[in-house]
Every structure is written in C-alpha cells, then in structure tokens.
Amino acid sequence: KQWYQRRVAITAGIIMLLGFLYEKIAYYLTDWENHRTQTVYDDSLIIKLFAFQFVNNYSSLFYIAFFKQNVANNGLFNQTEWKDTCDFEDETGQQLCYPMLVLQVAILLIMKPMPKFFKDVVIPTLLHLYKKFFKGKKDKSLETGPEKKELIDIIEEDRQLIAGDNDFTLSEYTEKTIMYGMIMLFGAVFPLAPLIALICNLIDVRVDGYRILWKNRRYIAQRAEDIGIWQYILEFLNMVGVVVNSLIIAMTLTKNGSILDPYYDSPWAVAFAFEHVCFIVKFVISYIIPDVPSDVQFKMRKEQFQVNQLFEKGPANKGSEASTPAANGEGAAV
C-alpha cells in the first residue's frame, strides 16, 4: 500500500514537471510561427497550452478509468506476463482500479496549486524578509537622520516591488480550465472534487489579491471583448465530461436493487441513454436561459440609442449656437 501511494504521488509530480516543460515548448513553438497579430498569437498559444495540459493531466486518469483494469486482469495485449496491477481486488479476486483513480484525482487537485503557491507566496515572502533584515540594515547604516525616509517617493517604491507575470491572465485561465476539466470529467468518481476546487480557488483569490495590491508592481490593464477561445474550450470540456461520466457510470454498474439492475448486462445502452438525456437537458436549459438577460439587453439598446442621438444632435447644436451670435451681431451692426 505504501508503494501504491508513492506511485500515485510520483505520477502527480511527473505530471507537474512535464506541464512546466510543455509550457516552455508551447511558447517557443508559438514564437517560431511568427503570427501577424496579438490575437492570432494568443489563440495559437492557448490551443497549444490546452492541448499539452489536457494530454498531460488527463491521460493517466483515462488509462486508469478505462484501460488499466483490463490490463491488470488480462495483461497488455492479452499477454499475462505484462500486467499492471491496481493493488485492489473485489470479492471475486478481480483487480479493481477505481480506488486508484479516486486517489489520483484527489492528489492532482491538491498538489496542482502547490507550485503556484510556492511561487506566489513562499518566494516573495522570503525575498521580503531578506530585504527587510539584510538590505534594510545596510540602508539604515547610511542614513544620517529621519529626513532620509522622505526621499523615497511612490514611483521608487513601486519600482522596487517584484515584477508581475507578463502572462498572468493566460496562466490563470489555463490553471482554472484544467481544474474545471478535472471536475467535469471525473466528478462522478470523486464527488469531493468540487469542494476541494472551491477551497483552492478561495485561497487563490486572496493570495492573488494580496500580491497584486501589495507585493507586485502595478499591472498594465488590457481591454478584451470577451474570453476569446476559452469559451470554446470550456464548451468542449462540457461535452467530453458528459461522455466520460456516462462511460464511468455504465462501467461501474453493480446489482444493488436499483432501477438500473435490468441493464447490468448492457452498459453501453446505459451510457448512451444517460449521455443523450444530459445533452438534451443541457441544450434545453441553454435555449431557455439567454446568455444576456432581457433587462440587460434593453439597457444596452437604450444606451446605444442615446449615444446615437448625441452623435446626431451634437454637431447641429454646436453649429446653431455658433450661428446665433453671428446673426445677432449682424443685426446689431445694421
């Protein structure tokens, strides 16, 4: 059991290491493509990052969920000497891999935020303590009086802060999307995944807010029309999540007196029915609930109408105001 837990932890560590390497490769490949506009560059980079992270984070989970149990019982390519055991067995002595899947999902959800926490909290705190206790003593030895503190203005203080990430928004979207995909794809296996993700995000919001306001230099704001290609990626994860959860539920059916007992011998029918019911409900809800509420649409149309009215009346009013004094002056001169 100890080796089993170590193996799962080692797998999670390798996933995080490969994720770091894949990120560097994605930036290199996108720079090499030499895109003309920033929008095209960002879309290409996002696709590469998501594709790399999708395969890196979910491939082991897909293997454990759908392939490892067969390999553990029958061997790879039905070769009995090539078996990958799951370290768990059911009542009949067959290998059971879903406890390993649950533990793998849990460890990934808990360990994934650790590198970011170390980079955003531990390292800045150590640098702050170093500047405070070591460099601060040297600076105080050079001061001749309390008036020296007034020479440091706000710009200089901001310059001495830690430089923020250039791709802060992109890294945050990537991290949250991978976490969202893990919840959508394997939420049926580990029901506590949404709770863990919620706790991690609550902590992450406070940490990011603190370091942006107090520890990092001020970021340069950039306007964006919407979240861009991330919208399609999230929709893709929703679709894949329905299919994966349908297959997981169908492949883990047991006779326990439920309404699915008659379909125990036909798991594909259960997966097909569950998947289509979820898709129908999803599309019905999407059709009933608009993306933009009706009151917001009305206010947007009203604002656009008022802006158009100002543009139409503005030059005319200025022309009439300019012509009125001239006309009065001409009448007075006559």
Side-chain angles (χ1 to χ4, degrees):
K1 298 300 181 181
Q2 292 180 354
W3 165 242
Y4 156 71
Q5 296 174 356
R6 292 175 184 173
R7 183 170 56 178
V8 174
I10 291 172
T11 303
I14 293 174
I15 289 174
M16 290 188 289
L17 176 61
L18 291 178
F20 175 78
L21 296 177
Y22 288 157
E23 183 177 353
K24 300 299 182 183
I25 294 174
Y27 276 96
Y28 174 77
L29 293 177
T30 309
D31 293 338
W32 197 21
E33 292 172 351
N34 193 22
H35 294 286
R36 296 183 61 185
T37 62
Q38 185 66 34
T39 302
V40 179
Y41 176 89
D42 292 339
D43 290 343
S44 178
L45 178 60
I46 290 170
I47 292 174
K48 290 181 181 63
L49 286 175
F50 175 74
F52 286 154
Q53 296 294 346
F54 185 91
V55 175
N56 182 42
N57 287 273
Y58 305 145
S59 58
S60 62
L61 300 178
F62 278 114
Y63 169 70
I64 297 173
F66 301 115
F67 302 104
K68 186 169 184 176
Q69 188 162 339
N70 183 51
V71 175
N73 292 321
N74 304 322
L76 184 63
F77 303 117
N78 293 326
Q79 301 293 326
T80 56
E81 63 272 12
W82 295 348
K83 286 188 176 182
D84 186 10
T85 59
C86 299
D87 299 325
F88 287 94
E89 295 181 353
D90 58 9
E91 296 82 359
T92 62
Q94 295 292 319
Q95 292 288 320
L96 191 63
C97 296
Y98 278 94
M100 177 179 284
L101 179 61
V102 173
L103 185 60
Q104 183 75 54
V105 174
I107 290 179
L108 281 176
L109 282 174
I110 295 173
M111 291 184 63
K112 284 287 287 182
M114 292 302 174
K116 183 176 184 295
F117 179 81
F118 183 79
K119 184 184 72 172
D120 295 343
V121 178
V122 177
I123 294 179
T125 302
L126 294 177
L127 291 175
H128 176 71
L129 293 175
Y130 173 76
K131 292 179 179 179
K132 181 178 180 181
F133 290 103
F134 291 95
K135 288 188 175 181
K137 293 180 180 179
K138 297 179 181 179
D139 295 339
K140 288 181 180 179
S141 62
L142 298 176
E143 293 180 359
T144 58
E147 66 275 0
K148 291 291 183 180
K149 296 181 180 180
E150 300 178 358
L151 298 177
I152 302 178
D153 55 5
I154 298 177
I155 299 177
E156 181 63 21
E157 290 180 356
D158 188 69
R159 188 187 66 84
Q160 294 179 359
L161 295 176
I162 301 173
D165 300 331
N166 295 327
D167 57 345
F168 175 76
T169 305
L170 180 60
S171 61
E172 289 293 320
Y173 267 114
T174 304
E175 177 190 358
K176 299 303 184 292
T177 303
I178 295 300
M179 183 179 294
Y180 175 76
M182 199 169 297
I183 296 171
M184 288 299 301
L185 270 63
F186 302 99
V189 176
F190 187 51
L192 288 178
L195 178 61
I196 294 177
L198 177 62
I199 295 174
C200 292
N201 287 329
L202 290 177
I203 297 175
D204 188 44
V205 167
R206 296 299 179 183
V207 170
D208 287 340
Y210 176 75
R211 72 184 184 90
I212 289 174
L213 290 175
W214 302 104
K215 297 300 181 182
N216 292 132
R217 298 174 189 171
R218 180 175 297 180
Y219 286 87
I220 300 176
Q222 296 181 357
R223 299 184 61 183
E225 183 180 359
D226 49 28
I227 64 175
I229 200 172
W230 289 111
Q231 179 68 30
Y232 302 102
I233 292 176
L234 294 175
E235 293 178 357
F236 168 76
L237 289 176
N238 292 336
M239 305 289 284
V240 176
V242 172
V243 176
V244 171
N245 283 281
S246 302
L247 294 175
I248 290 176
I249 292 174
M251 295 177 66
T252 56
L253 285 177
T254 56
K255 291 184 178 181
N256 53 5
S258 65
I259 59 175
L260 297 177
D261 285 353
Y263 308 98
Y264 176 77
D265 297 326
S266 56
W268 292 107
V270 174
F272 183 82
F274 182 81
E275 170 195 339
H276 279 67
V277 169
C278 290
F279 280 140
I280 291 173
V281 173
K282 175 182 180 299
F283 289 128
V284 169
I285 294 176
S286 299
Y287 179 78
I288 294 176
I289 302 176
D291 295 336
V292 182
S294 58
D295 57 337
V296 176
Q297 292 180 358
F298 174 76
K299 292 179 180 179
M300 291 172 62
R301 291 196 299 267
K302 181 179 179 181
E303 182 181 1
Q304 186 64 36
F305 174 77
Q306 292 175 347
V307 171
N308 294 334
Q309 291 293 107
L310 290 176
F311 275 114
E312 292 177 359
K313 296 180 179 179
N317 291 336
K318 289 182 180 179
S320 61
E321 291 175 0
S323 61
T324 302
N328 295 336
E330 291 176 0
V334 172

